[in-house]
Amino acid sequence: METAVSRTDVLIIGAGPAGLAVSHALTLAGIDHVLLERGRIAESWLSQRWNSLRLITPNWLNRLPGMLGPGTDPGGFMPARELAFRLGAYGAANNAPVREGVTVQRVAACDGGYQVHAPQGDWRARAVVIATGACGVPRVPAFSHALPPRVQQVWSSGYRHPGQLAEGGVLVVGASASGVQIAREVHASGRPVTLAVGTHSRMLRHYRGRDIFAWLDAAGVLDDGWTKVSDLAAARAQPSMQLAHDGTLDLAGLQADGVALMGRLLVVDEGRLRFGDNLAADSALSEARLLRTLDRIDAHIAMQGIAAPADPAARRPHRYRIGMADELVLDRTPIRTVIWATGFRRDYAWLHVPVLDPRGEIVHAGGVTPAPGLFVIGLPFLQRRSSTFIAGIGRDATQLAAAIAAHLAHCPQTA
């Protein structure tokens, strides 16, 4: 007996900010659609963030189209769980047609569209939007398996609070926003912390009297389009900015507080941790990117004649001590836990459509893939630099919905 197949015009895979924003735009356009979510609405924000996490973007930048405004504190920074609850309320207010607890196992092209298989039932749609986001599977080096069993290993998505960690010292691997924030919190709990630093992006919390995001927005930095950057792959791979909601958080500050800095962790071999000598070079590149950003902001201030106080301290060199050691022997250190804050890779094993590049990433032009009717949203620099942030996702969704509508207008209704 043949299993019944459900049908809709558009299937959206994922009900986080990106999927909900596309749903809102399609609803306004009168386009029939369904969202398939393997967990709950905003599942990753509910279950893959540490307890104390607050967003590094101010509240005015955390609003999707049609979402209630930031309230009485537009310049504040909401906890991650509050964002999750707001997203749930947003979906409910929009009557978003979400099917929770549905794990998509296969997406393949079929006559007139796509067939989507899940244990809960199959679907056919004229178009599919992949809104599973940038956070997929933790990217952990293969040599992590060489760590001795006595060393606890925790992924940043599984870290909740210092109390869950084994007694003793902690090595945090990775120095983007998550790595530096976790390192600070664990060190504040009284544990000795070592931070292994690779490529990173230093940023100031405030500059010339305003929050940095106010200037990035006003100066047009967040509006940089994907077609205008000289190296799009590098722009999309840029690590998240070293920031915290309560101020600048950088390597010099962490070291001053007592966190030990090392270069990139290269290998684990018989209880020995070997680190690269990249720290000075990567920090110099990060410093150069910061100064270029400040130059753009200064040019905007001058061009617009804005009265903003000078900030000479912001351009002082980022100084810290670079240790001479390039190797640690675990038995001679207090390290008993390694926290991997090395980012994520996307896992599209379920996507049986030839749109992946050699690195396993979806090939797209502003969210439109080479496969007719297949779209993607929620990835870094999808359409512009702001695509990483909630408000930018909303702008992307509005534009992507127009592309979806244009596709449906020329797509036979046979899916």
Side-chain angles (χ1 to χ4, degrees):
M1 182 176 178
E2 190 171 317
T3 305
V5 176
S6 301
R7 297 174 184 269
T8 186
D9 283 334
V10 182
L11 268 180
I12 303 171
I13 302 174
L20 292 173
V22 173
S23 172
H24 174 77
L26 294 180
T27 296
L28 292 180
I31 296 174
D32 183 63
H33 65 281
V34 171
L35 299 95
L36 303 181
E37 167 56 53
R38 64 181 177 181
R40 299 162 290 177
I41 287 178
E43 179 64 45
S44 63
W45 287 96
L46 286 166
S47 62
Q48 296 182 26
R49 303 293 189 271
W50 63 93
N51 296 354
S52 66
L53 176 63
R54 287 177 176 266
L55 275 66
I56 63 172
T57 47
N59 291 336
W60 60 266
L61 198 52
N62 300 324
R63 182 184 177 195
L64 293 172
M67 180 181 278
L68 292 176
T72 59
D73 190 17
F77 301 87
M78 72 177 67
R81 289 189 68 83
E82 180 181 336
L83 175 63
F85 296 143
R86 285 173 61 84
L87 290 171
Y90 176 69
N94 293 326
N95 294 315
V98 181
R99 306 290 192 272
E100 295 184 326
V102 177
T103 301
V104 170
Q105 295 181 331
R106 181 182 174 87
V107 174
C110 65
D111 183 31
Y114 295 90
Q115 180 133 351
V116 177
H117 172 71
Q120 297 80 5
D122 289 355
W123 288 82
R124 293 191 76 173
R126 297 162 64 198
V128 167
V129 181
I130 300 171
T132 50
C135 296
V137 179
R139 184 188 290 116
V140 179
F143 57 71
S144 64
H145 299 294
L147 284 167
R150 67 178 181 278
V151 175
Q152 178 188 23
Q153 297 190 57
V154 179
W155 286 259
S156 58
S157 58
Y159 170 77
R160 296 294 174 268
H161 55 80
Q164 80 185 91
L165 306 180
E167 292 296 326
V170 177
L171 170 65
V172 179
V173 183
S176 59
S178 295
V180 295
Q181 290 186 61
I182 291 172
R184 181 179 69 169
E185 178 171 277
V186 174
H187 182 266
S189 74
R191 300 165 188 268
V193 173
T194 299
L195 179 64
V197 181
T199 305
H200 59 279
S201 295
R202 186 168 88 88
M203 186 51 66
L204 307 177
R205 180 74 272 175
H206 296 94
Y207 181 61
R208 300 190 67 173
R210 297 187 187 180
D211 184 87
I212 193 65
F213 279 102
W215 287 126
L216 294 176
D217 183 51
V221 177
L222 298 182
D223 283 333
D224 288 345
W226 68 275
T227 60
K228 304 298 183 182
V229 296
S230 58
D231 189 341
L232 182 58
R236 285 176 170 165
Q238 191 70 26
S240 57
M241 294 181 283
Q242 289 178 333
L243 274 180
H245 72 280
D246 54 354
T248 298
L249 182 58
D250 57 26
L251 301 182
L254 287 171
Q255 188 176 67
D257 288 341
V259 173
L261 302 181
M262 302 293 288
R264 180 181 290 106
L265 180 60
L266 298 178
V267 69
V268 177
D269 182 22
E270 296 183 351
R272 295 176 182 271
L273 308 178
R274 295 175 185 163
F275 300 86
D277 61 357
N278 60 290
L279 189 51
D282 279 342
S283 294
L285 289 174
S286 176
E287 203 74 12
R289 285 193 295 267
L290 170 63
L291 293 177
R292 286 197 297 270
T293 300
L294 298 186
D295 286 343
R296 285 188 64 177
I297 293 171
D298 287 346
H300 167 75
I301 291 171
M303 183 177 297
Q304 299 299 319
I306 299 171
D311 193 354
R315 291 179 174 272
R316 288 176 188 157
H318 176 72
R319 298 190 184 281
Y320 52 85
R321 301 180 310 280
I322 298 177
M324 299 301 293
D326 61 1
E327 182 176 280
L328 293 177
V329 180
L330 279 173
D331 286 345
R332 300 174 189 169
T333 74
I335 294 172
R336 296 296 176 268
T337 300
V338 174
I339 299 177
W340 299 102
T342 43
F344 298 86
R345 62 177 177 82
R346 267 66 67 185
D347 182 3
Y348 297 119
W350 45 269
L351 182 57
H352 294 258
V353 184
V355 293
L356 301 182
D357 67 16
R359 297 170 300 127
E361 298 287 355
I362 295 177
V363 175
H364 66 91
V368 180
T369 80
L374 184 67
F375 305 88
V376 64
I377 190 171
L379 298 179
F381 226 127
L382 186 94
Q383 294 180 6
R384 55 186 64 85
R385 197 176 300 278
S386 63
S387 296
T388 303
F389 309 118
I390 301 297
I393 289 173
R395 289 184 63 187
D396 289 353
T398 299
Q399 290 185 231
L400 198 65
I404 295 169
H407 167 76
L408 294 178
H410 298 90
C411 173
Q413 299 190 29
T414 58

